[in-house]
Amino acid sequence: MAYLIDEQKLTKIYLKSYHTIGRYKFNVDTLIDQPGVSRHHAIIELAQGKWLIRDVSTNGIWLNDKKIDKNLPYQLSENDKLDFAAPGQNSFVVGNLNAECQYLVSQSDNQQVIEVSDQLLLPDEENPTHIIYFDKMLNYWFLEDLNNNDRQALIDGGLVSIFNNQWVFYSAGAAPMTKHLDSQPIVKPCGLSFSVSQDEEATQLSVTLNGNMIDLGVRSHHYLLLLLARLRIQDKDDGVELDQQGWIYREDLIKALGVQMNHMNIMVHRARKQLTDAGGEDFPELGYLIETNNGKLRLNSQDITIIKGHKLETRISL
């Protein structure tokens, strides 16, 4: 498991595959409530098997007593020292960078950890009530209630409520949302048609693929897709190169949505699941309309129509 060690508290800070650090207690994964620390100070993420840190702060980050450049990724190694906001202050040591492990961390006691390497019976093998397992067909980790067969997909950094406690699930080796993209197929040309209310409280989405129109109804996660669509359109209008169009960092997207990172991850998961279900066996590539790359997302479509309040807002096509 991957973690930092707080030099002052001598506690472990477990790392998600995309991990934020700062002073904004409601929207970071690790809170450092100290003067000089920015609301969003640092991002640590796993990319192509390497752990990287990026400074997004005002007052900087020191890696092994050397200040790093802002907004550039730096690779971390075990035993590296990190100082946030000033040298010798808010200090952490990189304790472990093993990404080949999943685990649950208790919200009430973050030193209470359950490691998951394969399937695991909980609370124990003698009297289990739940099971955690990896579905190789779907590329997801699941928690299943053995009493009623209800199951939920486990998202890296997502909350799970079991045994009168809340736990955070960590899956840094390859977050469930990115495992699909390791061998992502080419998405066939498809048309997306958004119909959003004047107050933008309701967003309906239809998909046209090979002459077939699929109505996906009104869903809250369609607004996330709408924001990505607008960004793609704006970049195209501005003359941005095709392979650079539409990309946005996750932290910028959560600000635009007005939600927390966990909530946004769930919205992405729900959008992907609905698109995958809608595509079925004939069009499975619909599940890959949302692309991710090094902490960024974009909508993989260039045929988009947006109707706002019964009036055409914009349209682009292949």
Side-chain angles (χ1 to χ4, degrees):
M1 61 186 70
Y3 59 84
L4 308 179
I5 300 173
D6 186 325
E7 284 199 332
Q8 183 177 6
K9 299 178 182 178
L10 297 180
T11 55
K12 294 178 180 178
I13 308 298
Y14 296 97
L15 297 177
K16 294 162 49 180
S17 55
Y18 184 87
H19 197 95
T20 57
I21 298 172
R23 191 168 46 84
Y24 187 17
K25 67 180 296 185
F26 298 107
N27 214 3
V28 293
D29 299 305
T30 296
L31 173 67
I32 305 179
D33 191 11
Q34 296 294 332
V37 175
S38 298
R39 288 159 61 89
H40 292 92
H41 201 103
I43 296 168
I44 297 176
E45 59 186 320
L46 181 65
Q48 298 179 341
K50 299 177 181 178
W51 286 95
L52 307 175
I53 187 168
R54 183 157 47 93
D55 176 19
V56 293
S57 72
T58 299
N59 293 325
I61 298 172
W62 280 256
L63 173 60
N64 296 325
D65 301 320
K66 294 182 180 180
K67 191 175 184 180
I68 66 176
D69 293 326
K70 190 171 181 177
N71 285 321
L72 292 180
Y74 287 78
Q75 185 176 344
L76 294 175
S77 300
E78 292 184 4
N79 299 316
D80 278 349
K81 180 186 177 185
L82 295 169
D83 297 319
F84 298 94
Q89 295 185 21
N90 311 307
S91 300
F92 294 76
V93 173
V94 179
N96 192 298
L97 295 177
N98 177 21
E100 301 304 319
C101 181
Q102 292 68 228
Y103 45 100
L104 293 169
V105 179
S106 168
Q107 284 284 81
S108 59
D109 177 8
N110 64 6
Q111 302 308 298
Q112 186 177 356
V113 180
I114 300 174
E115 292 192 34
V116 184
S117 57
D118 192 7
Q119 68 175 27
L120 179 67
L121 293 170
L122 296 172
D124 55 56
E125 292 190 4
E126 297 299 324
N127 298 290
T129 59
H130 294 76
I131 183 172
I132 295 177
Y133 63 94
F134 184 69
D135 189 316
K136 294 182 179 179
M137 292 293 294
L138 297 176
N139 281 339
Y140 276 91
W141 284 93
F142 287 95
L143 172 68
E144 184 170 329
D145 189 323
L146 295 175
N147 295 316
N148 55 27
N149 293 323
D150 286 345
R151 72 174 187 173
Q152 65 181 103
L154 298 176
I155 300 171
D156 184 31
L159 286 174
V160 178
S161 295
I162 50 173
F163 313 132
N164 299 315
N165 196 1
Q166 283 195 318
W167 305 73
V168 180
F169 180 72
Y170 292 82
S171 181
M177 288 191 296
T178 60
K179 282 191 175 181
H180 286 291
L181 302 175
D182 291 342
S183 56
Q184 177 173 317
I186 296 174
V187 178
K188 295 174 184 171
C190 65
L192 302 180
S193 180
F194 295 89
S195 179
V196 58
S197 61
Q198 192 64 41
D199 59 8
E200 305 212 347
E201 289 295 321
T203 306
Q204 183 269 341
L205 174 63
S206 298
V207 178
T208 302
L209 186 61
N210 286 3
N212 299 299
M213 196 276 284
I214 305 170
D215 184 359
L216 298 181
V218 176
R219 300 287 190 276
S220 60
H221 54 257
H222 290 168
Y223 190 66
L224 177 146
L225 298 176
L226 175 64
L227 292 184
L228 294 177
R230 284 172 169 164
L231 182 60
R232 182 96 195 211
I233 292 169
Q234 184 62 55
D235 282 354
K236 184 173 183 179
D237 289 344
D238 291 343
V240 177
E241 293 292 330
L242 182 62
D243 60 347
Q244 298 299 316
Q245 290 176 10
W247 290 109
I248 183 172
Y249 278 106
R250 290 174 183 266
E251 64 266 25
D252 294 328
L253 184 55
I254 63 174
K255 292 176 185 177
L257 290 167
V259 300
Q260 297 185 24
M261 185 67 72
N262 286 349
H263 188 184
M264 189 204 70
N265 286 339
I266 292 171
M267 293 174 74
V268 172
H269 163 70
R270 287 175 176 170
R272 278 213 178 107
K273 185 177 187 304
Q274 187 189 25
L275 289 165
T276 300
D277 291 345
E281 294 183 0
D282 294 330
F283 311 116
E285 66 276 4
L286 276 185
Y288 300 89
L289 275 174
I290 303 176
E291 292 183 289
T292 61
N293 183 31
N294 290 338
K296 296 182 289 186
L297 300 92
R298 77 165 177 177
L299 190 64
N300 189 7
S301 175
Q302 302 171 68
D303 190 343
I304 301 168
T305 301
I306 301 176
I307 306 293
K308 181 173 179 178
H310 305 294
K311 292 184 179 180
L312 178 66
E313 176 181 297
T314 187
R315 174 181 291 148
I316 63 171
S317 59
L318 294 170

